[in-house]
Amino acid sequence: MMTGMTCPHVPELPEAVTPDNPEGCADCLAADEHNWAHLRICLSCGHVACCDSSPRRHATAHFHASEHPVMRSFEPEEDWRWCYVDARIV
């Protein structure tokens, strides 16, 4: 059982990441799509992808392909993080 406000994956993250595409979901834009609800950024590599409320769910797809555990909201004024491995906000 985990205690505290974080998970074991957060301390393993780099101090900072650079968004691979600050304009939107990199995967959607590569396919010339612009239909996403909200954006997320992978805190391991900086990949920007769309959330599970979006048609393509690229953020979750990125987790399954990369096994990078933690993402953060890439929306203005939001800074919450989600750990896919532990299925919780951290």
Side-chain angles (χ1 to χ4, degrees), residues 13-75:
L13 297 171
E15 278 190 39
V17 292
T18 301
D20 65 354
N21 194 330
E23 301 303 314
C25 175
D27 301 300
C28 285
L29 292 172
D32 199 28
E33 295 180 13
H34 299 15
N35 184 24
W36 55 78
H38 301 283
L39 297 172
R40 311 294 181 235
I41 184 170
C42 174
L43 294 181
S44 293
C45 70
H47 184 67
V48 176
C50 55
C51 70
D52 284 355
S53 295
S54 302
R56 303 286 182 199
R57 301 178 179 186
H58 285 124
T60 296
H62 176 73
F63 162 69
H64 289 297
S66 68
E67 297 183 0
H68 294 163
V70 183
M71 66 86 188
R72 178 179 57 79
S73 173
F74 198 59
E75 296 298 316

